[in-house]
Amino acid sequence: FTEVTTLAQEAWVKARQQADFRPFQPHLERIVEMRREYSEFFKPYTHVYDPQLDDFEPGMKTAEVQAIFDEVRPRQVALLKAIQSRPQVDDSFLQQEFPEKAQWDFGVEVITRFGYDWQKGRQDKSAHPFTTSFGVGDVRITTRVDTRRLGTALFGTMHECGHALYDLGLDPAYHRTPLRHGASMAVHESQSRMWENLVGRSLPFWKFFYKRLQEYFPSQLGNVPLEAFYKAINKVQPSFIRVEADEATYNLHIMLRLELEIALLEGSLEVKDLPAAWNEKFQSYLGLTPPNDALGVLQDIHWSSGYFGYFPTYALGNLVSAQLWEKIHADIPDLEGQIEKGEFGALLSWLRENVHRWGRLYEPQDLVEKITGSRITPQPYLRYLERKYGEIYVL
Ligand SMILES: [Zn+2]
């Protein structure tokens, strides 16, 4: 499998450069075959996709994930249609020159306030941002800076800080044990996305931080009112590339991948028909048809690396973040007032107490149920999206 995926990744890189799926096709055919073989080791299973999913979301079943996304799909497609019927928000001022040092310093200021402990970590630059943990007392993050796009470093830094705060909050007693990790990919992603989106793209957050940002960038943002800035960083625009997608469209990118992965493993879709199936779903969910395979089926590295079952964890992370957020609101009624004052101590303590310290002790569904009283449900996330974009786009 290592040999197959190593060769496949090489082929994927070239295929993507040429924007042509065909040279990659035989490699992916072999990978799908081997992923099926992998599932055979875990017989009896209910669905051939269950063992794939279990590697990333312990205990989670294909039927559960499908039921969740069946609820999400129609409401998110309808929300996107409603947004697109309204006048678009202006975000042109975000594409100016923003000097690197000021971006870096502002990001450091933000995550210091979040509670990132510089005695137990550091931040460096990398091509793709990531978090890496050397132990319970040493969790480091990286970020990247694009001087023409303010959001890249800003939201990337908050995102990785969210991952780091999770790892730093584990019970020290779990050091050097298998429990010394987050509960799952989705629960980890719920933490990064909470700090990036529910906190970092919220109006209360910017009521506190926007003046500081304007001080860093007086000529670029001095004349841009808070309200306009808030709308700009939350602009919704369907686009081809998943990693650049906004909150309102992101889950749609994931759903189509999940459906295609399941179809490939079930054998109801052949690899040779994958690009056409991709484009067809993309058109029906996002209203766009990718002009070539590089902007479509070839954009992500996951399948060439042999990862099946990984994609849904991104969207599940969004759902879990909002589900936790409703519970946090109930437990800390003044949450928004605190965020408006730049205070995050109560929020972080809540996360430490309820999520972080447990490490891997619980399976993701059990952990979410223990905290919120119900298993993973998309309703809080859908409520969050509909409320937020209802206000921004006056729906
Ligand atoms: Zn992440």
Side-chain angles (χ1 to χ4, degrees):
F1 187 66
T2 301
E3 189 182 332
V4 165
T5 51
T6 304
L7 294 170
Q9 273 189 48
E10 288 290 310
W12 168 75
V13 169
K14 287 197 193 106
R16 195 166 81 143
Q17 275 162 5
Q18 297 158 12
D20 182 4
F21 180 75
R22 281 165 301 177
F24 178 55
Q25 181 188 319
H27 295 273
L28 188 57
E29 281 168 350
R30 184 74 188 115
I31 288 173
V32 169
E33 226 174 85
M34 291 192 78
R35 289 311 324 182
R36 280 204 207 105
E37 268 177 64
Y38 179 80
S39 286
E40 297 311 297
F41 291 115
F42 297 89
K43 271 189 159 169
Y45 51 70
T46 310
H47 192 286
V48 65
Y49 192 70
D50 285 348
Q52 319 283 330
L53 193 56
D54 202 85
D55 284 353
F56 303 101
E57 291 304 312
M60 194 119 186
K61 300 286 176 251
T62 307
E64 292 176 286
V65 175
Q66 285 173 319
I68 289 169
F69 287 120
D70 284 347
E71 278 182 66
V72 173
R73 192 180 307 103
R75 279 194 31 206
Q76 216 162 336
V77 169
L79 176 66
L80 182 57
K81 288 226 166 83
I83 290 172
Q84 286 181 304
S85 72
R86 303 290 304 160
Q88 185 53 288
V89 305
D90 174 23
D91 70 342
S92 54
F93 49 83
L94 294 179
Q95 284 109 45
Q96 305 180 61
E97 190 65 21
F98 293 92
E100 174 166 338
K101 183 168 184 319
Q103 287 201 46
W104 183 275
D105 291 347
F106 181 75
V108 165
E109 210 174 296
V110 168
I111 63 173
T112 302
R113 280 224 165 232
F114 282 177
Y116 184 63
D117 184 348
W118 297 94
Q119 300 302 313
K120 294 179 177 171
R122 50 179 284 140
Q123 181 175 248
D124 293 275
K125 280 198 281 183
S126 66
H128 295 278
F130 63 92
T131 299
T132 184
S133 175
F134 296 90
V136 285
D138 187 357
V139 183
R140 308 179 190 194
I141 59 175
T142 70
T143 196
R144 66 176 153 189
V145 181
D146 180 342
T147 57
R148 298 291 304 172
R149 289 170 66 126
L150 184 61
T152 304
L154 182 57
F155 296 110
T157 300
M158 292 192 230
H159 182 99
E160 297 310 323
C161 175
H163 282 302
L165 290 173
Y166 192 173
D167 286 354
L168 286 166
L170 297 174
D171 187 335
Y174 295 164
H175 189 40
R176 294 181 188 279
T177 77
L179 299 179
R180 186 192 68 83
H181 298 280
S184 71
M185 296 288 300
V187 178
H188 231 299
E189 205 61 13
S190 80
Q191 297 305 291
S192 53
R193 278 163 204 258
M194 183 180 289
W195 290 99
E196 175 194 354
N197 291 329
L198 297 168
V199 176
R201 286 183 213 266
S202 75
L203 194 53
F205 174 90
W206 287 106
K207 279 185 182 164
F208 179 79
F209 273 109
Y210 190 53
K211 275 196 202 73
R212 280 299 286 153
L213 190 68
Q214 285 178 309
E215 284 167 22
Y216 277 103
F217 303 108
S219 66
Q220 296 91 334
L221 298 173
N223 295 322
V224 178
L226 168 64
E227 197 65 20
F229 177 79
Y230 168 69
K231 286 185 177 178
I233 58 167
N234 286 295
K235 180 183 175 184
V236 173
Q237 175 122 59
S239 62
F240 297 115
I241 301 296
R242 172 184 63 86
V243 296
E244 291 163 9
D246 52 72
E247 284 183 275
T249 55
Y250 190 88
N251 286 345
L252 298 170
H253 288 260
I254 295 303
M255 268 180 262
L256 88 108
R257 285 161 176 77
L258 173 71
E259 288 160 17
L260 295 172
E261 279 189 355
I262 291 176
L264 287 171
L265 284 177
E266 283 176 341
S268 57
L269 175 67
E270 285 185 54
V271 172
K272 71 173 168 54
D273 300 324
L274 181 61
W278 176 290
N279 291 352
E280 195 183 304
K281 276 192 192 289
F282 210 90
Q283 178 64 43
S284 98
Y285 294 169
L286 288 138
L288 300 170
T289 298
N292 61 55
D293 293 337
L295 289 171
V297 68
L298 288 175
Q299 66 184 271
D300 293 306
I301 194 171
H302 303 60
W303 289 336
S304 74
S305 312
Y307 290 143
F308 279 69
Y310 193 122
F311 281 125
T313 71
Y314 294 123
L316 291 170
N318 286 332
L319 307 185
V320 172
S321 73
Q323 196 171 343
L324 294 174
W325 197 243
E326 286 196 349
K327 175 69 173 142
I328 297 169
H329 262 276
D331 290 352
I332 311 175
D334 183 35
L335 182 63
E336 289 191 355
Q338 294 183 19
I339 294 175
E340 274 179 31
K341 284 186 258 162
E343 290 166 11
F344 302 95
L347 171 59
L348 182 56
S349 300
W350 190 98
L351 292 171
R352 291 232 157 108
E353 176 64 25
N354 291 283
V355 184
H356 299 174
R357 70 186 178 106
W358 300 109
R360 278 231 128 153
L361 191 61
Y362 301 101
E363 288 190 344
Q365 287 275 36
D366 295 338
L367 179 66
V368 171
E369 186 167 21
K370 177 175 132 58
I371 300 168
T372 68
S374 79
R375 296 166 83 75
I376 299 174
T377 155
Q379 295 304 324
Y381 191 68
L382 292 167
R383 278 195 284 274
Y384 160 74
L385 283 185
E386 287 165 356
R387 193 183 324 114
K388 178 172 184 174
Y389 291 103
E391 281 167 19
I392 292 173
Y393 281 92
V394 201
L395 303 178

CSV table of all heavy atoms in Angstrom, one decimal, residues 244-291:
chain,number,residue,atom,x,y,z
A,244,GLU,N,-10.4,27.1,0.1
A,244,GLU,CA,-10.7,28.6,0.1
A,244,GLU,C,-12.2,28.9,0.3
A,244,GLU,O,-12.6,30.0,0.2
A,244,GLU,CB,-10.2,29.2,-1.3
A,244,GLU,CG,-8.7,29.2,-1.4
A,244,GLU,CD,-8.3,29.4,-2.9
A,244,GLU,OE1,-9.1,29.7,-3.7
A,244,GLU,OE2,-7.1,29.2,-3.1
A,245,ALA,N,-12.9,27.8,0.6
A,245,ALA,CA,-14.4,28.0,0.7
A,245,ALA,C,-14.8,28.8,2.0
A,245,ALA,O,-14.1,28.6,3.0
A,245,ALA,CB,-15.1,26.7,0.6
A,246,ASP,N,-15.9,29.6,1.9
A,246,ASP,CA,-16.4,30.2,3.0
A,246,ASP,C,-17.3,29.3,3.9
A,246,ASP,O,-17.6,28.2,3.4
A,246,ASP,CB,-17.2,31.5,2.6
A,246,ASP,CG,-18.3,31.1,1.5
A,246,ASP,OD1,-19.3,30.4,1.9
A,246,ASP,OD2,-18.0,31.4,0.3
A,247,GLU,N,-17.7,29.8,5.0
A,247,GLU,CA,-18.5,28.9,5.9
A,247,GLU,C,-19.8,28.4,5.3
A,247,GLU,O,-20.3,27.3,5.6
A,247,GLU,CB,-18.9,29.7,7.2
A,247,GLU,CG,-17.8,29.9,8.2
A,247,GLU,CD,-18.3,30.7,9.4
A,247,GLU,OE1,-18.3,31.9,9.4
A,247,GLU,OE2,-18.6,30.0,10.4
A,248,ALA,N,-20.5,29.2,4.4
A,248,ALA,CA,-21.8,28.9,3.9
A,248,ALA,C,-21.7,27.8,2.8
A,248,ALA,O,-22.6,27.1,2.5
A,248,ALA,CB,-22.5,30.1,3.4
A,249,THR,N,-20.5,27.7,2.2
A,249,THR,CA,-20.4,26.7,1.1
A,249,THR,C,-19.5,25.5,1.5
A,249,THR,O,-19.5,24.5,0.8
A,249,THR,CB,-19.8,27.3,-0.2
A,249,THR,OG1,-18.5,28.0,0.2
A,249,THR,CG2,-20.7,28.4,-0.7
A,250,TYR,N,-18.7,25.6,2.6
A,250,TYR,CA,-17.7,24.6,2.8
A,250,TYR,C,-18.2,23.2,2.9
A,250,TYR,O,-17.7,22.3,2.3
A,250,TYR,CB,-17.0,24.9,4.2
A,250,TYR,CG,-15.8,24.1,4.4
A,250,TYR,CD1,-14.5,24.4,3.8
A,250,TYR,CD2,-15.9,22.8,5.0
A,250,TYR,CE1,-13.4,23.6,4.0
A,250,TYR,CE2,-14.8,22.0,5.1
A,250,TYR,CZ,-13.6,22.4,4.6
A,250,TYR,OH,-12.5,21.5,4.7
A,251,ASN,N,-19.3,23.0,3.7
A,251,ASN,CA,-19.8,21.6,3.8
A,251,ASN,C,-20.3,21.0,2.5
A,251,ASN,O,-20.3,19.8,2.4
A,251,ASN,CB,-21.0,21.6,4.8
A,251,ASN,CG,-20.5,21.8,6.3
A,251,ASN,OD1,-19.3,21.7,6.6
A,251,ASN,ND2,-21.4,22.2,7.2
A,252,LEU,N,-20.7,21.8,1.6
A,252,LEU,CA,-21.1,21.3,0.3
A,252,LEU,C,-19.9,20.6,-0.4
A,252,LEU,O,-20.1,19.6,-1.1
A,252,LEU,CB,-21.7,22.4,-0.6
A,252,LEU,CG,-23.0,23.0,0.0
A,252,LEU,CD1,-23.4,24.3,-0.8
A,252,LEU,CD2,-24.1,22.0,0.1
A,253,HIS,N,-18.8,21.3,-0.3
A,253,HIS,CA,-17.5,20.7,-0.9
A,253,HIS,C,-17.3,19.3,-0.3
A,253,HIS,O,-16.9,18.3,-0.9
A,253,HIS,CB,-16.3,21.5,-0.6
A,253,HIS,CG,-16.3,22.8,-1.4
A,253,HIS,ND1,-15.5,23.0,-2.5
A,253,HIS,CD2,-16.9,24.0,-1.2
A,253,HIS,CE1,-15.7,24.2,-3.0
A,253,HIS,NE2,-16.5,24.8,-2.2
A,254,ILE,N,-17.5,19.2,1.0
A,254,ILE,CA,-17.3,17.9,1.7
A,254,ILE,C,-18.3,16.9,1.4
A,254,ILE,O,-18.0,15.7,1.1
A,254,ILE,CB,-17.3,18.1,3.3
A,254,ILE,CG1,-16.2,19.1,3.7
A,254,ILE,CG2,-17.2,16.8,4.0
A,254,ILE,CD1,-14.8,18.6,3.3
A,255,MET,N,-19.5,17.3,1.3
A,255,MET,CA,-20.6,16.3,1.0
A,255,MET,C,-20.4,15.6,-0.3
A,255,MET,O,-20.6,14.4,-0.5
A,255,MET,CB,-21.9,17.0,1.0
A,255,MET,CG,-22.6,17.0,2.3
A,255,MET,SD,-24.1,17.8,2.2
A,255,MET,CE,-23.6,19.4,2.8
A,256,LEU,N,-20.0,16.4,-1.3
A,256,LEU,CA,-19.8,15.7,-2.6
A,256,LEU,C,-18.7,14.7,-2.6
A,256,LEU,O,-18.7,13.6,-3.1
A,256,LEU,CB,-19.7,16.7,-3.8
A,256,LEU,CG,-18.3,17.3,-4.2
A,256,LEU,CD1,-17.9,16.7,-5.5
A,256,LEU,CD2,-18.4,18.8,-4.3
A,257,ARG,N,-17.6,15.0,-1.8
A,257,ARG,CA,-16.5,14.1,-1.7
A,257,ARG,C,-16.9,12.8,-1.0
A,257,ARG,O,-16.6,11.7,-1.4
A,257,ARG,CB,-15.3,14.7,-0.9
A,257,ARG,CG,-14.5,15.8,-1.8
A,257,ARG,CD,-13.7,16.7,-0.9
A,257,ARG,NE,-12.9,17.6,-1.6
A,257,ARG,CZ,-13.3,18.7,-2.2
A,257,ARG,NH1,-14.6,19.0,-2.2
A,257,ARG,NH2,-12.4,19.5,-2.8
A,258,LEU,N,-17.7,13.0,0.1
A,258,LEU,CA,-18.2,11.9,0.9
A,258,LEU,C,-19.0,10.9,0.0
A,258,LEU,O,-18.8,9.7,0.0
A,258,LEU,CB,-19.0,12.4,2.1
A,258,LEU,CG,-19.7,11.3,2.9
A,258,LEU,CD1,-18.7,10.5,3.7
A,258,LEU,CD2,-20.7,11.9,3.8
A,259,GLU,N,-19.9,11.5,-0.7
A,259,GLU,CA,-20.8,10.7,-1.6
A,259,GLU,C,-20.0,10.0,-2.6
A,259,GLU,O,-20.3,8.8,-2.9
A,259,GLU,CB,-21.9,11.6,-2.2
A,259,GLU,CG,-22.9,12.1,-1.2
A,259,GLU,CD,-23.7,13.3,-1.7
A,259,GLU,OE1,-23.7,13.6,-2.9
A,259,GLU,OE2,-24.3,14.0,-0.8
A,260,LEU,N,-19.0,10.6,-3.2
A,260,LEU,CA,-18.2,10.0,-4.2
A,260,LEU,C,-17.3,8.9,-3.7
A,260,LEU,O,-17.2,7.8,-4.2
A,260,LEU,CB,-17.3,11.0,-5.0
A,260,LEU,CG,-18.1,12.1,-5.8
A,260,LEU,CD1,-17.2,13.1,-6.3
A,260,LEU,CD2,-18.9,11.4,-6.9
A,261,GLU,N,-16.8,9.1,-2.5
A,261,GLU,CA,-15.9,8.1,-1.8
A,261,GLU,C,-16.7,6.8,-1.5
A,261,GLU,O,-16.3,5.7,-1.8
A,261,GLU,CB,-15.4,8.6,-0.5
A,261,GLU,CG,-14.3,9.5,-0.5
A,261,GLU,CD,-13.7,9.8,0.9
A,261,GLU,OE1,-14.3,9.4,1.9
A,261,GLU,OE2,-12.7,10.4,1.0
A,262,ILE,N,-17.9,7.0,-1.0
A,262,ILE,CA,-18.8,5.9,-0.7
A,262,ILE,C,-19.2,5.1,-2.0
A,262,ILE,O,-19.1,3.9,-2.0
A,262,ILE,CB,-20.1,6.4,0.1
A,262,ILE,CG1,-19.7,6.9,1.5
A,262,ILE,CG2,-21.1,5.3,0.2
A,262,ILE,CD1,-20.8,7.5,2.3
A,263,ALA,N,-19.5,5.9,-3.0
A,263,ALA,CA,-19.9,5.2,-4.3
A,263,ALA,C,-18.7,4.4,-4.9
A,263,ALA,O,-18.9,3.3,-5.4
A,263,ALA,CB,-20.4,6.3,-5.3
A,264,LEU,N,-17.5,5.0,-4.8
A,264,LEU,CA,-16.3,4.3,-5.3
A,264,LEU,C,-16.1,3.0,-4.5
A,264,LEU,O,-15.9,1.9,-5.1
A,264,LEU,CB,-15.1,5.1,-5.1
A,264,LEU,CG,-14.9,6.3,-6.1
A,264,LEU,CD1,-13.7,7.2,-5.7
A,264,LEU,CD2,-14.8,5.8,-7.6
A,265,LEU,N,-16.2,3.0,-3.2
A,265,LEU,CA,-16.0,1.8,-2.4
A,265,LEU,C,-17.1,0.8,-2.6
A,265,LEU,O,-16.9,-0.4,-2.6
A,265,LEU,CB,-15.9,2.2,-0.9
A,265,LEU,CG,-14.5,2.8,-0.6
A,265,LEU,CD1,-14.5,3.2,0.9
A,265,LEU,CD2,-13.4,1.8,-0.9
A,266,GLU,N,-18.3,1.3,-2.7
A,266,GLU,CA,-19.5,0.4,-2.9
A,266,GLU,C,-19.4,-0.3,-4.3
A,266,GLU,O,-20.0,-1.3,-4.5
A,266,GLU,CB,-20.8,1.1,-2.9
A,266,GLU,CG,-21.3,1.5,-1.5
A,266,GLU,CD,-22.5,2.3,-1.5
A,266,GLU,OE1,-22.9,2.9,-2.5
A,266,GLU,OE2,-23.2,2.4,-0.4
A,267,GLY,N,-18.7,0.4,-5.2
A,267,GLY,CA,-18.6,-0.1,-6.6
A,267,GLY,C,-19.7,0.4,-7.5
A,267,GLY,O,-19.8,0.1,-8.6
A,268,SER,N,-20.5,1.4,-7.0
A,268,SER,CA,-21.6,1.9,-7.8
A,268,SER,C,-21.1,3.0,-8.7
A,268,SER,O,-21.7,3.5,-9.6
A,268,SER,CB,-22.7,2.5,-6.9
A,268,SER,OG,-22.2,3.4,-6.0
A,269,LEU,N,-19.8,3.4,-8.5
A,269,LEU,CA,-19.2,4.4,-9.4
A,269,LEU,C,-17.8,3.9,-9.7
A,269,LEU,O,-17.0,3.4,-8.8
A,269,LEU,CB,-19.0,5.8,-8.6
A,269,LEU,CG,-18.2,6.9,-9.4
A,269,LEU,CD1,-19.0,7.3,-10.6
A,269,LEU,CD2,-18.0,8.1,-8.4
A,270,GLU,N,-17.5,3.9,-11.0
A,270,GLU,CA,-16.1,3.5,-11.4
A,270,GLU,C,-15.2,4.7,-11.5
A,270,GLU,O,-15.6,5.8,-11.7
A,270,GLU,CB,-16.2,2.8,-12.8
A,270,GLU,CG,-16.8,1.4,-12.8
A,270,GLU,CD,-16.7,0.8,-14.1
A,270,GLU,OE1,-15.6,0.7,-14.7
A,270,GLU,OE2,-17.8,0.4,-14.6
A,271,VAL,N,-13.9,4.4,-11.2
A,271,VAL,CA,-12.9,5.5,-11.1
A,271,VAL,C,-12.9,6.3,-12.4
A,271,VAL,O,-12.8,7.5,-12.4
A,271,VAL,CB,-11.5,5.0,-10.8
A,271,VAL,CG1,-10.5,6.1,-10.9
A,271,VAL,CG2,-11.5,4.4,-9.4
A,272,LYS,N,-13.1,5.6,-13.6
A,272,LYS,CA,-13.0,6.3,-14.8
A,272,LYS,C,-14.1,7.4,-15.0
A,272,LYS,O,-14.0,8.3,-15.7
A,272,LYS,CB,-13.0,5.4,-16.0
A,272,LYS,CG,-14.3,4.6,-16.3
A,272,LYS,CD,-14.2,3.8,-17.6
A,272,LYS,CE,-15.3,2.9,-17.8
A,272,LYS,NZ,-16.7,3.4,-17.7
A,273,ASP,N,-15.2,7.1,-14.3
A,273,ASP,CA,-16.4,8.1,-14.4
A,273,ASP,C,-16.3,9.1,-13.3
A,273,ASP,O,-17.3,9.9,-13.2
A,273,ASP,CB,-17.7,7.3,-14.2
A,273,ASP,CG,-17.8,6.3,-15.4
A,273,ASP,OD1,-17.4,6.6,-16.5
A,273,ASP,OD2,-18.3,5.2,-15.1
A,274,LEU,N,-15.3,9.1,-12.5
A,274,LEU,CA,-15.2,10.0,-11.3
A,274,LEU,C,-15.2,11.5,-11.7
A,274,LEU,O,-16.0,12.3,-11.1
A,274,LEU,CB,-14.0,9.7,-10.4
A,274,LEU,CG,-13.8,10.5,-9.2
A,274,LEU,CD1,-14.9,10.4,-8.2
A,274,LEU,CD2,-12.5,10.1,-8.5
A,275,PRO,N,-14.4,11.9,-12.7
A,275,PRO,CA,-14.4,13.4,-13.0
A,275,PRO,C,-15.8,13.9,-13.4
A,275,PRO,O,-16.2,15.0,-13.0
A,275,PRO,CB,-13.4,13.5,-14.2
A,275,PRO,CG,-12.5,12.3,-14.0
A,275,PRO,CD,-13.4,11.2,-13.4
A,276,ALA,N,-16.5,13.1,-14.2
A,276,ALA,CA,-17.8,13.5,-14.7
A,276,ALA,C,-18.8,13.6,-13.5
A,276,ALA,O,-19.6,14.5,-13.4
A,276,ALA,CB,-18.3,12.6,-15.8
A,277,ALA,N,-18.7,12.6,-12.6
A,277,ALA,CA,-19.6,12.6,-11.5
A,277,ALA,C,-19.3,13.8,-10.6
A,277,ALA,O,-20.2,14.4,-10.0
A,277,ALA,CB,-19.4,11.3,-10.7
A,278,TRP,N,-18.0,14.1,-10.4
A,278,TRP,CA,-17.6,15.2,-9.6
A,278,TRP,C,-18.3,16.5,-10.2
A,278,TRP,O,-18.9,17.3,-9.4
A,278,TRP,CB,-16.1,15.4,-9.6
A,278,TRP,CG,-15.5,16.6,-8.9
A,278,TRP,CD1,-15.6,17.9,-9.3
A,278,TRP,CD2,-14.9,16.6,-7.7
A,278,TRP,NE1,-15.0,18.7,-8.4
A,278,TRP,CE2,-14.6,17.9,-7.4
A,278,TRP,CE3,-14.5,15.6,-6.8
A,278,TRP,CZ2,-13.9,18.3,-6.2
A,278,TRP,CZ3,-13.8,16.0,-5.6
A,278,TRP,CH2,-13.5,17.3,-5.3
A,279,ASN,N,-18.1,16.7,-11.5
A,279,ASN,CA,-18.5,18.0,-12.1
A,279,ASN,C,-20.1,18.1,-12.0
A,279,ASN,O,-20.6,19.2,-11.8
A,279,ASN,CB,-18.1,18.0,-13.5
A,279,ASN,CG,-16.6,18.2,-13.6
A,279,ASN,OD1,-15.9,18.4,-12.6
A,279,ASN,ND2,-16.0,18.1,-14.8
A,280,GLU,N,-20.7,17.0,-12.1
A,280,GLU,CA,-22.2,17.0,-12.1
A,280,GLU,C,-22.7,17.4,-10.7
A,280,GLU,O,-23.6,18.2,-10.5
A,280,GLU,CB,-22.7,15.6,-12.4
A,280,GLU,CG,-24.1,15.5,-12.8
A,280,GLU,CD,-24.5,14.0,-13.0
A,280,GLU,OE1,-23.9,13.4,-13.9
A,280,GLU,OE2,-25.4,13.5,-12.3
A,281,LYS,N,-22.1,16.8,-9.6
A,281,LYS,CA,-22.5,17.1,-8.3
A,281,LYS,C,-22.1,18.6,-8.0
A,281,LYS,O,-22.8,19.3,-7.3
A,281,LYS,CB,-21.8,16.2,-7.3
A,281,LYS,CG,-22.5,14.9,-7.1
A,281,LYS,CD,-21.9,14.1,-5.9
A,281,LYS,CE,-22.5,12.7,-5.8
A,281,LYS,NZ,-23.9,12.5,-5.5
A,282,PHE,N,-20.9,19.0,-8.4
A,282,PHE,CA,-20.5,20.3,-8.1
A,282,PHE,C,-21.5,21.3,-8.7
A,282,PHE,O,-21.8,22.3,-8.0
A,282,PHE,CB,-19.1,20.6,-8.8
A,282,PHE,CG,-18.3,21.6,-8.0
A,282,PHE,CD1,-17.5,21.2,-7.0
A,282,PHE,CD2,-18.4,22.9,-8.3
A,282,PHE,CE1,-16.8,22.1,-6.2
A,282,PHE,CE2,-17.7,23.8,-7.5
A,282,PHE,CZ,-16.9,23.4,-6.5
A,283,GLN,N,-22.0,21.1,-9.9
A,283,GLN,CA,-23.0,22.0,-10.5
A,283,GLN,C,-24.2,22.0,-9.7
A,283,GLN,O,-24.8,23.0,-9.4
A,283,GLN,CB,-23.2,21.5,-12.0
A,283,GLN,CG,-24.3,22.3,-12.7
A,283,GLN,CD,-23.9,23.7,-12.9
A,283,GLN,OE1,-22.7,24.0,-13.3
A,283,GLN,NE2,-24.8,24.7,-12.7
A,284,SER,N,-24.7,20.8,-9.2
A,284,SER,CA,-26.0,20.8,-8.5
A,284,SER,C,-25.9,21.4,-7.1
A,284,SER,O,-26.8,22.0,-6.6
A,284,SER,CB,-26.6,19.4,-8.5
A,284,SER,OG,-26.3,18.7,-7.4
A,285,TYR,N,-24.7,21.3,-6.4
A,285,TYR,CA,-24.6,21.8,-5.1
A,285,TYR,C,-24.2,23.3,-5.1
A,285,TYR,O,-24.6,24.1,-4.3
A,285,TYR,CB,-23.6,21.0,-4.2
A,285,TYR,CG,-24.1,19.6,-4.0
A,285,TYR,CD1,-23.2,18.7,-3.4
A,285,TYR,CD2,-25.4,19.2,-4.2
A,285,TYR,CE1,-23.6,17.4,-3.1
A,285,TYR,CE2,-25.8,17.9,-4.0
A,285,TYR,CZ,-24.9,17.0,-3.4
A,285,TYR,OH,-25.3,15.7,-3.2
A,286,LEU,N,-23.2,23.6,-6.0
A,286,LEU,CA,-22.6,24.9,-5.9
A,286,LEU,C,-22.9,25.8,-7.1
A,286,LEU,O,-22.4,26.9,-7.2
A,286,LEU,CB,-21.1,24.8,-5.7
A,286,LEU,CG,-20.7,24.3,-4.3
A,286,LEU,CD1,-19.6,23.3,-4.2
A,286,LEU,CD2,-20.4,25.5,-3.4
A,287,GLY,N,-23.5,25.2,-8.1
A,287,GLY,CA,-23.9,26.0,-9.2
A,287,GLY,C,-22.8,26.4,-10.2
A,287,GLY,O,-22.9,27.3,-11.0
A,288,LEU,N,-21.7,25.6,-10.1
A,288,LEU,CA,-20.5,25.9,-11.0
A,288,LEU,C,-20.1,24.6,-11.6
A,288,LEU,O,-20.2,23.5,-11.0
A,288,LEU,CB,-19.4,26.5,-10.2
A,288,LEU,CG,-19.5,27.8,-9.4
A,288,LEU,CD1,-18.3,28.0,-8.5
A,288,LEU,CD2,-19.7,28.9,-10.3
A,289,THR,N,-19.5,24.7,-12.8
A,289,THR,CA,-18.8,23.5,-13.3
A,289,THR,C,-17.3,23.8,-13.5
A,289,THR,O,-16.9,24.7,-14.1
A,289,THR,CB,-19.4,23.1,-14.7
A,289,THR,OG1,-20.8,22.8,-14.5
A,289,THR,CG2,-18.7,21.9,-15.3
A,290,PRO,N,-16.5,22.9,-12.8
A,290,PRO,CA,-15.0,23.2,-12.9
A,290,PRO,C,-14.6,23.2,-14.3
A,290,PRO,O,-14.9,22.2,-15.1
A,290,PRO,CB,-14.4,22.0,-12.1
A,290,PRO,CG,-15.5,21.5,-11.2
A,290,PRO,CD,-16.8,21.8,-12.0
A,291,PRO,N,-13.8,24.1,-14.7
A,291,PRO,CA,-13.3,24.2,-16.1
A,291,PRO,C,-12.3,23.1,-16.5
A,291,PRO,O,-12.0,22.8,-17.6
A,291,PRO,CB,-12.7,25.6,-16.2
A,291,PRO,CG,-12.3,26.0,-14.8
A,291,PRO,CD,-13.3,25.3,-14.0
